[in-house]
Amino acid sequence: MIYPSHINSLFTIATTTFPLHSPLVYLKPSNFSMDPSGTIVFSTVGVTQYGFDIFSVKLPNLTQRRLTDGVSVNFNGQFLDENEESLVFVSERSGSPRIYLSKPELSEPELLPSPPESLFHDRPVIKNQRAYFISAHEEPDKLFKSWSALYSTRLDDKKVRRLTPPGVADYSPSVSQSGKFIAVASYGSRDWGGEFHELQTDIVVFPESDQNTRVTVCQHGGWPTWSGDSTIYFHRQSNDGWWSIYRVDLPQNSDLSETPYLLV
């Protein structure tokens, strides 16, 4: 699993020496001088006007519908509860990733409270009038240490509360149907080990009311998604090399003290 904020420190170093988009240069070999002729092929991400939108597909007729307005880059969208008309998502329309709420009665998306200094927001979720999101605004005390953490805020105020313990890196939050439990893909308190293709995260669950009671329900997994209050679906790379979907079942009416958990 690749999570951008985990390698912010690496890119801070790399971009001072090596460009992320290196040009391919072809020069005619005949007469190298101060005025060379030839062709330079290059790429750029400095496009000011473009759209990257969120879509939904209605089953079973597979009707597609665009949910965002075509302004800038929009991603990581989640419906509000069972309401398929309202959407919380991340957008870069302000110049950096921020969290927005789209509703039919709004003429344009509403900016939700989130730290403006963060350059990374991941998978916002709204449950019981509270927004949960990943942010990277609290910098670590050393390089190669992720500052990605889970935060929450009520929709009626701007007070942001950190749910991830200090020194721990969490990604991809998911809230259970009742709002009782939260699951994250957690890198723990380790320094970045250099992995790039697949970040070694675990599926960690904790009660919304007690973020310090954290239980690792499955090692080696990412992108958790709740079904009800007792089943979590997640991704991992299998032994055969293919990325696959897995499931872990918690006991019904669990308080997270029962073990073992069933991985399917």
Side-chain angles (χ1 to χ4, degrees):
M1 283 66 68
I2 296 299
Y3 298 93
S5 77
H6 204 89
I7 50 178
N8 276 354
S9 298
L10 174 63
F11 280 175
T12 300
I13 297 173
T15 53
T16 61
T17 307
F18 305 102
L20 292 180
H21 300 276
S22 299
L24 176 66
V25 180
Y26 172 75
L27 299 176
K28 291 182 179 178
S30 55
N31 231 356
F32 189 80
S33 66
M34 295 301 293
D35 298 311
S37 61
T39 301
I40 298 177
V41 180
F42 66 96
S43 63
T44 179
V45 293
V47 180
T48 58
Q49 297 293 331
Y50 58 96
F52 189 88
D53 284 298
I54 300 170
F55 291 78
S56 67
V57 176
K58 193 74 172 179
L59 299 178
N61 57 12
L62 303 182
T63 302
Q64 295 187 23
R65 183 165 65 101
R66 193 176 74 175
L67 303 176
T68 47
D69 54 10
V71 176
S72 188
V73 176
N74 308 287
F75 54 96
N76 283 354
Q78 303 282 330
F79 287 121
L80 271 65
D81 299 320
E82 300 300 323
N83 185 351
E84 297 183 2
E85 297 297 324
S86 299
L87 183 78
V88 59
F89 61 100
V90 178
S91 179
E92 297 183 1
R93 64 190 61 214
S94 65
S96 63
R98 301 293 299 275
I99 299 173
Y100 289 85
L101 176 63
S102 176
K103 291 183 176 181
E105 62 268 24
L106 298 177
S107 59
E108 60 183 27
E110 174 187 353
L111 177 64
L112 296 182
S114 61
E117 61 271 29
S118 177
L119 297 179
F120 174 62
H121 286 108
D122 179 30
R123 202 181 188 183
V125 181
I126 292 180
K127 181 71 70 172
N128 300 331
Q129 294 301 304
R130 183 175 289 275
Y132 302 87
F133 57 92
I134 295 294
S135 179
H137 64 278
E138 294 184 296
E139 297 188 17
D141 56 0
K142 57 181 178 180
L143 295 175
F144 301 105
K145 185 81 173 181
S146 176
W147 52 62
S148 175
L150 176 64
Y151 299 84
S152 72
T153 181
R154 287 196 58 82
L155 297 182
D156 55 2
D157 65 37
K158 297 184 178 180
K159 184 177 180 180
V160 176
R161 178 170 64 114
R162 180 178 174 125
L163 302 181
T164 299
V168 174
D170 287 340
Y171 307 92
S172 296
S174 180
V175 183
S176 68
Q177 186 176 29
S178 68
K180 181 179 179 181
F181 296 119
I182 298 175
V184 293
S186 182
Y187 199 75
S189 58
R190 309 188 308 274
D191 292 348
W192 182 47
E195 67 269 34
F196 193 84
H197 175 68
E198 180 187 8
L199 198 62
Q200 297 296 319
T201 56
D202 301 326
I203 304 300
V204 172
V205 176
F206 56 90
E208 198 281 339
S209 60
D210 182 11
Q211 61 268 26
N212 295 316
T213 302
R214 294 167 61 98
V215 176
T216 300
V217 299
C218 181
Q219 295 180 332
H220 184 200
W223 298 293
T225 298
W226 282 96
S227 176
D229 276 11
S230 61
T231 298
I232 301 173
Y233 292 91
F234 63 94
H235 292 70
R236 72 153 56 142
Q237 190 174 26
S238 302
N239 294 333
D240 59 8
W242 289 95
W243 286 93
S244 304
I245 300 173
Y246 288 81
R247 189 182 85 213
V248 60
D249 292 324
L250 283 66
Q252 293 287 338
N253 302 316
S254 171
D255 62 359
L256 299 184
S257 63
E258 300 93 342
T259 54
Y261 298 102
L262 177 61
L263 176 64
V264 178

